[in-house]
Amino acid sequence: MDYPKSVPSVGLVDGRFVDENPVAGKPGSLIPAVWGNAVTEELLSVISGAGLAPTEGNNGQLFRALQALMAMASPMRSSITNVAVSKALTSDDLGLVLINAVAGATTISLPTVDAALGIRDVIVRRVDNTSTRLVVQASGTDKIKFHTHLSAAGYQFLVLMGAGDWWHLRSDGAGSWWPVGRFDSTPLGRPVFETTALLNPGGYGLLNSTVFARTDWPWLWDHAQQSGMMTTEAARLGSEGGWTSGDGGLTFRGPEGRGEFIRLFDEGRGVDSGRLSGSWQVDMFKSHRHELKSDMLGVPSGPSSVAPDALFNQGASSLGFTEVIGGVETRPRNIAYPGRIKLI
């Protein structure tokens, strides 16, 4: 739009408005109807484009329309959706979605990612700290593109674990949700120590040889298969630090770490060679000997004298044994911290 330069009217100078000057006999500007209607139409188009119904007498609509249009210009809209039961989200729900799963297992379905949805953002955040399962899943054949190093296609769903756990997802308009950020990006499968007996939010479980359902943890099952540290249940003894194939069809087992000291895998250095990653090793002393000194006080010298020193357990005779002391294993002074493993 522009000033009404092409519209003949009294008092316009190059289409611009001027004030009346009675002294000089100069009339003031008269606004042309065509221009006034054009200005009104321009303003109404902004209001209607923001999804508002134009209302005469409401002088705040243009401002609200501009706010709405600015929000729509960003993939992250200014909306908050509170959910306490399983729900299929619509495009209008996207923004910040706060989910309370205290009532039981909850599934939140994302909208179908197509050209109509376009590029949109959503933050899904858990607000309760219960152990109930909370799943955020894509619709139909859509995928969530996380842990693509394990599966290039991504996965059908993710889980939110613990109060405050969140994922920021962005749709690409072509069948995929891409993670933009998340509460805890610690790599999958990493063991960590904690200074709390509770499970921190962000996707952690106990490092206690848990048996998992493959369908509930598909990314973790892929990680186990590609880890080079997986064996069968029958061959698990001595390899408790690795993964097992569970029942061979529906389950798999995670690593056991309780009560153990952690040692870095040799990986060809030759210090602790001959072992498999995740294998268990019994405690031992480094090879050495103890010498038992003879008490020579009062022993005469000469050909029949006792040798000045005798080695413990030499020959067929024994000079005796030390008293049995100690515990059930050899260990240094230490502190016990709870162990956790990253599950997603």
Side-chain angles (χ1 to χ4, degrees), residues 31 60-61 66 79 97 103 106 142 152 154 175 185 191 200 211 245 253 259 263 275 283 290 292 315:
I31 299 176
Q61 284 192 296
L66 291 174
S79 64
V97 181
T106 303
D142 291 352
S185 57
N200 274 328
V211 175
S245 54
R253 185 187 295 273
R263 181 175 190 169
R275 298 182 63 189
D283 60 314
H290 293 272
L292 185 62

Side-chain angles (χ1 to χ4, degrees), residues 89-91 94 109-122 136-145 153 155-156 169-179:
L89 300 178
T90 68
S91 60
L94 301 184
S109 298
L110 299 169
T112 300
V113 180
D114 54 18
L117 182 69
I119 300 174
R120 291 292 304 276
D121 281 24
V122 62
V136 177
Q137 70 176 21
S139 297
T141 59
D142 291 352
K143 299 290 185 181
I144 305 174
K145 296 282 192 172
Y155 296 92
Q156 182 69 31
L169 305 173
R170 177 169 294 167
S171 63
D172 62 4
S176 298
W177 291 93
W178 293 85

